[in-house]
Amino acid sequence: MSKLQLLAEKRRQQKEANVANNERSGLDKLLQKRKLVAQPLLNLETKKRLKEPVGGKLNKVVQPSLSLQQKLVDKDDPLIELSLPTPSLLSTTTKRLQQPTHILPSIIFANNNALSKSVIDINTNIPTNIAVKIKENFQKKSPDDNRKIVNTLSEKIQNVELKQEKEESRSSSTIKKPTKAKNKIDLNEEITLKSSKPLLSAIVIGHVDSGKSTTIGRLLYDLGIVDSRSLHKLTKDAELAGKGSFSLAWIMDQTPEERSRGVTIDIVQTQFETSNMRFAIIDSPGHRDYIPQMINGITQADVAIVIIDSTSDLIFEASSAVGKNGDFSVRDIAKGQTFEQLKIAKNLGIENVLLVINKMDVNDWDEDRFISIENVLKDHLTNELGFQLQNLNFLPASGFNGDNIFNDSKLCPWYNGPTLFQYMEIMNTQTNENSHITLSNQSKDQFVLTVTDLTLGSGIESGSIVSTSKKSDTVTIHGRVNSGYLQPGESVNFWPSNESGQVDTISTVITKVNNSKDNNNKVVEKVAIPGEFVEMKIRKVELIDALAIGDLVTKITKADDDFVKCSNQLVCELSMFSLNRPILIGTPFILFKGNVSYSAKLSAIEWVENKIENDDGSITLKKTKKRKHLSSNQRARVIIETEKLVPITESIVKLNRIVIRKEGLTVAAGLIKKTIIS
Amino acid sequence: MKLISKSSSKEGAVVAVVPEDADDLWTLYNIISKGDEITLKSYRNIKPSVNGIPIPGAQAQRKLLNLTLSVESSTFVSSERELRIKGTTTVPLIDVPLSSYHTATVMINEQVKIFKEIWDSHDDEIIDNACNAMKAEVGAIVLEEGVSHTCLITDSMTILRNKIEKSIPKKRRGDSSAHDKALNIFLNNTALAALRNLDILNLKAIVVASPGKLQNQLIEKIFEEINKSSDKELIRCKSKFISATSSTGYLQGLEEVLKTPSIKKQLSDTKVQKNVALFDEFSKHLNNDDYRAFYGEEEVKKALEIGGAIKVLLITDTLLKNDDVNKRRHYIDIVERVKEDNGDVSIFSSLHDSGKQLDQLTGIAVILNYPVPDLEEDDDDESIYESD
């Protein structure tokens, strides 16, 4: 209604202005009086019109008086005189409005001169309603003018409405305001509290069937996170399926496909806490077809635990194959996944590695075997992959029997070092040294989280018919906080979709050691801090379908700089691995960034750096610009074009690390340097 | 494609053909260039008129006419499988005055007559190939968890018919039901899309590829749907489905699949497959740096001058379809010289991925019979600096 009132108001002002213009010097006073009469009538008119739809109304405004006015136009002066009402008449105006108007024609069609004379005579006898009408008509402009006014007015009104609509839509979608946290908390206190129980995220990698899932299953069972009753049930199920030895692995492998094939397909993360530490352990698939999932896991981890099958000779074969000729990646397919996985891990920023020589029970805990494997690995990892020796640890174990996993093994007298779990504790302390100081330093950093999992709706009932048919504005996202802090009640933005929402709750799923009954209990958090794996319920998302796994989430702050840039043209510096086919301009490949993969292609090469060995043995680096392909072991700066937009935060290096794979082989790794925004 | 008639004289050549499918349209697209005259049936909106004066207010009528156009430009829309030719009429009709503009959509199974002033050997070859080739259309579905592509591969093009993307929640310890459910819906949708978008009865084979064993799950789903239809013809088609492994569910996985030996066998004799293998051989030589593979026009010319060096010339149809007569002449000369030299020539369709890649590499490349070092142009702008 406010718009309509506005319209009425404008119209009235316009009319008043018109009246004022029409006033002539001699008639000033009288006209003023007439206005007094006209005012209430006008109000009546406008009130009536308010009930009519806008479009029709504008036309009707002009219509009623048109016929009369048309006829009166020529007889300007006399009729104005004629219409002068006396004060007494004014008071009766409204009453007499009902009287017949049949005298009117005679007045109108009468001779001008005669009329002017008889004016005074008639004055008292003329039905006042006619007088009022005539007078009223002369207050108005000529019909043509009226039309003009209405036209210009309606134009103006249209503009007004449009602007308002625009403003409204802008305020709801593009202008995003930061919202305040629900509860006021002492950030420093929370950080101190949280850093007193530091979190370590470890990914378990290794060749297929080396025993990754089984080892983790054993660890969780020994820690009392999985109770004997559920393990008993799994054992029974596994035996029924003819896979008795898989019972521990089934703790981690849950989808029917994984169980029936006996292969882990996707990563799964479990969090648990001891009295003074928190751990997140990520199980990953070892099969080469599922390297993408493993890469996803590595981006969420601080350290890697590599499981190596001590009964297999793959490691020796793989390392000797590298020795013979540089054709590493080709042979690596046949020789196991271990080295490729470690290479990816190193390039994604993992330095600290624990190597578990598994299945030692099968070798009767043969120390020589252990040492020879250890030496091969040490050699390869330091020389070929560039790991630091002090960051590598070796451990003989049996995941299936639980030797050196949580409990010390009595079967292995020659090994006195820490068990798997003790190593994890050591790594936790190493990784989180000074964590409190770094954490509080980061308090000014922008909040960034990468979405690793996404459930539409409030969580539990996703996928069911009820929740999909009813469009909700709520999503539940999982992810690891890359930097900054976030509290419930604050608003976040999703990239690259540019959707926004408000954080409803933040929680973590963590199981206390020796507390198997309280499995998967959610802890509601007051704040999310860097490094934490959180589950967040986010409300007020306009288009939930626009969100996807791999989106970046940032907090909406007042200082709204372009912290995140979205582009599909990325300038990257790459180091090429051993290739069996060159990467040509236009060659399609898969780009892995964070936990997402993008279909991409090479669109330009800025320069390629070749190593040229001089005669005296020194190495010269030669940069070439006019190249259209990349070959093995080169370094290059290139432009990569992705199919979809990639959200980039230039300040967080870890999020800009990329790995490039083509046809199932890892062909390059590198860093996104900048984006090209077209 | 059916060849109806062909006659050539000093003034040029007239060829009448009947295109039978989208591939033939692509062939026509590559033959017809600016300035040619074509005669074909086409619909045109005509305003009724009396003695050339249009009747005001009368509704335009859609009439099927036999038009002769002087070609100005043509476009091929692979997704629609349509060839549109724009030009001006050269033969006046009662309803269509001389030199009026018309854009004709070439109709399948209707005769098209082409008049060209210059009719060269390359045109002959394309027409011959199109008329004699055994057509083999292959369907392909490439998928991974959360994304699937359904495509149709013909001799000269890869057409993406359907793409499905769905966020699938990850499995979680203790509960993977959300993941299972979402995956199930995703596979169902993909199966339905495949049945809807692929003409399974008329395809030679349908390749289903994914990392791991997801493709088998999809094939099961497709078979379930086929069984539901209880259409005997369709049920017989079950044997057409071929399961393959690719490293990714993106479209690039398709080329990877076409290279694998087991699929090679089953799809042998399709032109696509040959080209993919050839391009692979080319990149292999390039990677080994054995001076047997080169790209770029200058390099190709140099190789040509050696004589007998070129084993295969790889060239895209983009270069051969050139509105500039001289440029086209130039490339056809190269092709002919290679043939005279007993080299093979392989023309890549730019509607396939391999062709697109070759296009990016200047569009012309050679594989040599023996290594020829120093063929490569010296880089002018290279900079040498010492490492630190």
Side-chain angles (χ1 to χ4, degrees):
Chain A
M1 275 323 257
S2 63
K3 277 176 209 159
L4 290 172
Q5 273 161 4
L6 197 84
L7 170 98
E9 184 65 34
K10 271 212 163 182
R11 269 187 49 78
R12 206 169 59 212
Q13 281 170 3
Q14 199 91 29
K15 276 198 171 175
E16 278 169 16
N18 292 337
V19 170
N21 288 337
N22 281 349
E23 276 172 6
R24 298 171 193 191
S25 50
L27 293 168
D28 272 359
K29 277 184 187 173
L30 289 165
L31 282 165
Q32 216 102 48
K33 278 178 189 168
R34 279 194 316 207
K35 232 197 275 176
L36 285 174
V37 193
Q39 210 68 33
L41 278 170
L42 263 172
N43 280 344
L44 252 173
E45 243 178 15
T46 43
K47 264 177 203 164
K48 259 188 229 161
R49 281 180 207 135
L50 284 177
K51 286 169 194 163
E52 294 164 6
V54 180
K57 179 181 70 191
L58 289 173
N59 289 330
K60 280 178 191 170
V61 171
V62 204
Q63 291 307 334
S65 52
L66 270 184
S67 52
L68 254 176
Q69 265 186 334
Q70 205 83 54
K71 291 161 192 166
L72 293 172
V73 160
D74 302 328
K75 306 163 186 177
D76 210 336
D77 284 82
L79 273 170
I80 285 177
E81 274 173 51
L82 172 139
S83 61
L84 303 177
T86 55
S88 63
L89 275 173
L90 280 174
S91 58
T92 53
T93 304
T94 33
K95 274 183 197 169
R96 295 199 187 178
L97 264 172
Q98 310 299 325
Q99 285 189 2
T101 56
H102 60 270
I103 308 170
L104 188 64
S106 69
I107 301 166
I108 291 161
F109 295 117
N111 183 295
N112 260 1
N113 297 333
L115 208 91
S116 58
K117 275 182 188 171
S118 58
V119 163
I120 304 144
D121 298 334
I122 312 164
N123 209 355
T124 42
N125 296 332
I126 283 181
T128 36
N129 57 341
I130 294 172
V132 167
K133 270 199 177 172
I134 290 164
K135 172 197 70 193
E136 201 182 283
N137 286 339
F138 273 88
Q139 281 177 321
K140 289 170 186 163
K141 278 197 150 190
S142 80
D144 283 347
D145 284 349
N146 260 336
R147 266 205 203 98
K148 267 186 202 166
I149 291 161
V150 171
N151 283 344
T152 50
L153 246 179
S154 56
E155 267 171 36
K156 275 182 193 169
I157 288 157
Q158 268 180 341
N159 289 339
V160 168
E161 281 174 339
L162 276 173
K163 263 182 204 163
Q164 276 180 341
E165 267 173 20
K166 269 181 197 162
E167 269 165 18
E168 271 170 20
S169 61
R170 202 180 296 146
S171 63
S172 61
S173 69
T174 49
I175 299 173
K176 290 161 186 164
K177 284 177 192 157
T179 46
K180 275 189 181 153
K182 278 179 181 170
N183 307 307
K184 250 198 169 177
I185 55 157
D186 184 353
L187 203 58
N188 255 328
E189 196 183 304
E190 280 294 320
I191 293 164
T192 320
L193 195 74
K194 289 208 174 188
S195 52
S196 69
K197 266 197 175 190
L199 173 73
L200 177 84
S201 170
I203 181 161
V204 180
I205 58 177
H207 187 59
V208 66
D209 285 340
S210 57
K212 293 175 294 297
S213 301
T214 304
T215 306
I216 297 171
R218 166 59 72 178
L219 181 68
L220 295 182
Y221 176 65
D222 285 351
L223 281 167
I225 290 160
V226 175
D227 60 17
S228 52
R229 237 177 67 205
S230 26
L231 183 66
H232 185 71
K233 188 174 171 290
L234 285 177
T235 315
K236 232 169 81 183
D237 288 351
E239 270 163 10
L240 273 175
K243 295 182 179 195
S245 66
F246 280 86
S247 56
L248 281 164
W250 281 16
I251 293 172
M252 306 305 283
D253 294 349
Q254 274 158 346
T255 67
E257 183 72 8
E258 285 180 325
R259 286 192 177 174
S260 64
R261 287 178 57 207
V263 171
T264 308
I265 291 177
D266 206 348
I267 55 162
V268 64
Q269 183 246 92
T270 303
Q271 277 195 84
F272 56 87
E273 61 180 337
T274 61
S275 54
N276 56 352
M277 279 177 192
R278 288 181 296 162
F279 295 96
I281 191 157
I282 301 166
D283 185 22
S284 76
H287 195 279
R288 73 179 189 101
D289 279 357
Y290 304 119
I291 295 264
Q293 282 86 338
M294 188 216 67
I295 294 175
N296 177 3
I298 285 179
T299 59
Q300 299 173 36
D302 305 318
V303 298
I305 297 171
V306 184
I307 311 282
I308 286 149
D309 182 354
S310 66
T311 62
S312 148
D313 286 336
L314 282 174
I315 286 295
F316 302 110
E317 287 170 25
S319 62
S320 63
V322 177
K324 270 179 208 152
N325 57 10
D327 211 358
F328 170 67
S329 50
V330 189
R331 291 178 183 264
D332 195 41
I333 306 170
K335 307 300 177 208
Q337 240 44 58
T338 317
F339 288 150
E340 191 186 359
Q341 291 183 342
L342 275 164
K343 196 167 186 172
I344 294 169
K346 176 79 173 90
N347 277 293
L348 288 173
I350 293 211
E351 298 291 342
N352 214 334
V353 179
L354 170 66
L355 296 117
V356 179
I357 317 298
N358 196 21
K359 304 191 187 177
M360 284 303 284
D361 52 321
V362 184
N363 296 327
D364 290 327
W365 300 91
D366 182 351
E367 190 179 358
D368 290 344
R369 177 94 187 160
F370 174 76
I371 289 167
S372 59
I373 292 175
E374 183 182 343
N375 286 337
V376 166
L377 287 170
K378 262 185 194 163
D379 184 50
H380 191 85
L381 261 58
T382 50
N383 292 336
E384 301 284 329
L385 302 182
F387 280 100
Q388 300 289 316
L389 195 59
Q390 70 264 24
N391 288 334
L392 305 175
N393 288 298
F394 296 85
L395 162 79
S398 165
F400 186 65
N401 292 333
D403 292 297
N404 282 341
I405 301 299
F406 181 70
N407 299 314
D408 265 338
S409 173
K410 291 180 186 82
L411 300 165
C412 183
W414 46 268
Y415 178 80
N416 297 316
T419 64
L420 173 64
F421 184 66
Q422 282 161 347
Y423 263 126
M424 284 176 71
E425 285 182 316
I426 294 166
M427 287 194 283
N428 193 333
T429 346
Q430 282 173 356
T431 319
N432 290 305
E433 262 175 342
N434 308 324
S435 71
H436 177 61
I437 299 158
T438 46
L439 281 178
S440 21
N441 282 346
Q442 281 184 338
S443 61
K444 278 190 191 116
D445 283 2
Q446 168 68 281
F447 174 82
V448 179
L449 173 140
T450 321
V451 179
T452 57
D453 196 2
L454 182 96
T455 325
L456 302 186
S458 45
I460 309 125
E461 275 184 84
S462 71
S464 75
I465 305 149
V466 186
S467 67
T468 45
S469 62
K470 193 175 68 188
K471 277 279 168 202
S472 90
D473 63 348
T474 309
V475 285
T476 309
I477 59 166
H478 294 248
R480 190 169 198 207
V481 181
N482 295 104
S483 78
Y485 298 87
L486 188 74
Q487 296 173 39
E490 292 181 313
S491 287
V492 290
N493 207 19
F494 290 84
W495 304 92
S497 59
N498 208 7
E499 287 294 318
S500 63
Q502 196 179 8
V503 181
D504 193 40
T505 54
I506 298 176
S507 53
T508 49
V509 178
I510 198 156
T511 313
K512 283 200 173 73
V513 168
N514 292 323
N515 193 0
S516 56
K517 275 175 199 134
D518 219 12
N519 216 341
N520 278 351
N521 58 330
K522 274 188 198 171
V523 182
V524 177
E525 301 283 343
K526 284 178 194 157
V527 62
I529 68 162
E532 272 191 322
F533 290 90
V534 291
E535 183 182 314
M536 296 200 290
K537 203 164 111 184
I538 293 174
R539 292 187 304 119
K540 295 183 187 168
V541 183
E542 213 173 285
L543 250 179
I544 49 174
D545 291 328
L547 312 183
I549 290 172
D551 281 359
L552 276 190
V553 178
T554 56
K555 180 157 76 182
I556 297 171
T557 51
K558 273 174 204 152
D560 207 0
D561 46 7
D562 43 356
F563 184 70
V564 179
K565 287 181 188 137
C566 297
S567 172
N568 60 353
Q569 303 254 6
L570 313 169
V571 180
C572 307
E573 278 186 25
L574 300 177
S575 27
M576 311 304 295
F577 297 167
S578 300
L579 313 174
N580 55 355
R581 297 286 182 276
I583 305 286
L584 310 163
I585 286 186
T587 301
F589 49 74
I590 309 285
L591 174 87
F592 290 87
K593 180 195 160 288
N595 61 339
V596 238
S597 60
Y598 299 91
S599 178
K601 67 172 188 191
L602 188 66
S603 73
I605 297 175
E606 287 192 2
W607 50 255
V608 177
E609 194 180 82
N610 276 318
K611 272 183 197 166
I612 295 168
E613 223 168 295
N614 295 337
D615 298 334
D616 58 347
S618 68
I619 289 170
T620 313
L621 292 175
K622 188 179 147 193
K623 270 189 189 174
T624 316
K625 283 181 182 163
K626 225 171 130 190
R627 270 297 172 103
K628 280 190 182 273
H629 70 267
L630 306 171
S631 4
S632 302
N633 303 319
Q634 289 177 325
R635 245 168 46 77
R637 189 176 164 100
V638 299
I639 297 171
I640 291 172
E641 195 182 316
T642 54
E643 218 174 72
K644 285 193 226 153
L645 288 179
V646 183
I648 307 284
T649 51
E650 277 170 23
S651 58
I652 301 174
V653 177
K654 198 177 176 187
L655 289 179
N656 291 338
R657 289 185 192 275
I658 54 169
V659 167
I660 287 173
R661 281 171 61 85
K662 184 178 172 262
E663 291 173 11
L665 295 175
T666 307
V667 294
L671 212 57
I672 299 171
K673 285 289 175 185
K674 60 177 185 192
T675 56
I676 300 173
I677 290 163
S678 47
Chain B
M1 186 138 69
K2 272 185 209 146
L3 184 66
I4 306 293
S5 70
K6 188 177 131 184
S7 65
S8 55
S9 64
K10 269 185 186 173
E11 284 86 43
V14 181
V15 179
V17 290
V18 177
E20 290 171 316
D21 55 26
D23 261 10
D24 293 344
L25 294 179
W26 177 248
T27 309
L28 285 180
Y29 173 75
N30 279 306
I31 289 176
I32 296 168
S33 54
K34 196 180 169 185
D36 294 350
E37 255 184 46
I38 59 161
T39 307
L40 79 176
K41 275 186 183 168
S42 175
Y43 283 100
R44 185 179 166 90
N45 286 340
I46 288 158
K47 286 207 170 128
S49 61
V50 181
N51 300 328
I53 303 152
I55 303 165
Q59 285 244 313
Q61 285 176 339
R62 212 168 133 78
K63 274 193 186 170
L64 185 61
L65 299 166
N66 215 2
L67 292 169
T68 306
L69 302 173
S70 166
V71 178
E72 288 202 350
S73 65
S74 58
T75 44
F76 184 80
V77 190
S78 61
S79 57
E80 308 273 327
R81 301 207 255 175
E82 264 184 15
L83 172 63
R84 294 176 197 145
I85 299 172
K86 188 184 166 193
T88 51
T89 53
T90 54
V91 176
L93 299 176
I94 300 168
D95 297 315
V96 189
L98 193 67
S99 298
S100 35
Y101 272 96
H102 184 80
T103 303
T105 303
V106 178
M107 286 187 279
I108 282 172
N109 291 330
E110 289 291 346
Q111 186 178 320
V112 180
K113 208 182 261 176
I114 306 157
F115 171 78
K116 280 175 94 73
E117 277 180 20
I118 307 157
W119 182 270
D120 51 41
S121 62
H122 178 60
D123 293 321
D124 261 339
E125 198 188 316
I126 314 186
I127 293 275
D128 282 354
N129 282 345
C131 293
N132 300 329
M134 292 288 290
K135 297 276 156 130
E137 286 194 340
V138 177
I141 308 164
V142 200
L143 74 156
E144 66 183 42
E145 270 190 33
V147 60
S148 75
H149 295 84
T150 303
C151 327
L152 187 67
I153 309 168
T154 73
D155 262 0
S156 54
M157 61 191 107
T158 309
I159 307 164
L160 177 65
R161 298 306 302 275
N162 182 274
K163 180 177 180 176
I164 294 179
E165 270 185 289
K166 187 173 166 47
S167 268
I168 294 177
K170 302 277 182 221
K171 66 168 186 175
R172 243 165 267 157
R173 197 169 71 81
D175 172 38
S176 65
S177 61
H179 166 267
D180 297 347
K181 218 181 253 170
L183 183 65
N184 208 15
I185 294 171
F186 167 73
L187 286 175
N188 261 334
N189 288 346
T190 306
L192 289 173
L195 289 172
R196 208 167 43 232
N197 286 299
L198 297 177
D199 181 10
I200 289 166
L201 293 178
N202 293 322
L203 289 176
K204 192 184 174 196
I206 297 112
V207 182
V208 186
S210 79
K213 290 277 175 273
L214 196 65
Q215 78 273 29
N216 293 342
Q217 281 174 274
L218 178 68
I219 291 177
E220 267 170 42
K221 284 269 185 276
I222 293 176
F223 284 0
E224 259 175 46
E225 291 299 325
I226 288 179
N227 288 344
K228 267 188 215 161
S229 75
S230 61
D231 179 341
K232 269 192 185 167
E233 286 295 311
L234 211 53
I235 291 168
R236 242 173 246 146
C237 290
K238 275 186 183 175
S239 59
K240 287 183 183 174
F241 285 85
I242 305 169
S243 152
T245 308
S246 67
S247 66
T248 167
Y250 291 105
L251 214 47
Q252 49 189 270
L254 194 59
E255 214 176 313
E256 191 186 334
V257 170
L258 292 177
K259 273 189 238 170
T260 51
S262 59
I263 300 294
K264 243 185 205 173
K265 238 182 234 168
Q266 302 199 50
L267 299 182
S268 58
D269 300 332
T270 55
K271 197 181 152 200
V272 205
Q273 218 281 318
K274 273 184 203 157
N275 280 355
V276 168
L278 204 57
F279 194 75
D280 190 47
E281 192 191 331
F282 169 76
S283 7
K284 196 169 127 196
H285 286 304
L286 210 54
N287 190 58
N288 294 348
D289 242 351
D290 55 6
Y291 303 107
R292 286 185 61 186
F294 295 95
Y295 53 83
E297 210 181 309
E298 285 306 311
E299 281 83 351
V300 170
K301 273 188 195 161
K302 276 188 199 165
L304 205 57
E305 271 151 29
I306 296 167
I310 294 176
K311 188 180 163 199
V312 193
L313 172 76
L314 297 81
I315 187 164
T316 58
D317 51 15
T318 352
L319 291 184
L320 292 171
K321 167 161 177 74
N322 209 320
D323 276 342
D324 185 338
V325 181
N326 291 328
K327 274 189 187 162
R328 184 184 151 90
R329 190 68 250 161
H330 171 79
Y331 287 115
I332 287 168
D333 273 348
I334 294 178
V335 169
E336 278 174 2
R337 279 178 64 190
V338 171
K339 279 184 189 162
E340 277 167 25
D341 240 15
N342 289 328
D344 278 338
V345 175
S346 201
I347 295 159
F348 282 61
S349 164
S350 50
L351 292 181
H352 279 307
D353 255 19
S354 50
K356 275 179 203 155
Q357 282 181 55
L358 189 58
D359 250 347
Q360 299 253 10
L361 283 177
T362 66
I364 187 162
V366 281
I367 302 174
L368 304 182
N369 282 319
Y370 44 81
V372 182
D374 308 326
L375 197 61
E376 215 164 344
E377 262 190 300
D378 286 331
D379 291 324
D380 312 321
D381 55 348
E382 66 186 25
S383 57
I384 297 177
Y385 65 94
E386 297 291 324
S387 63
D388 23 34

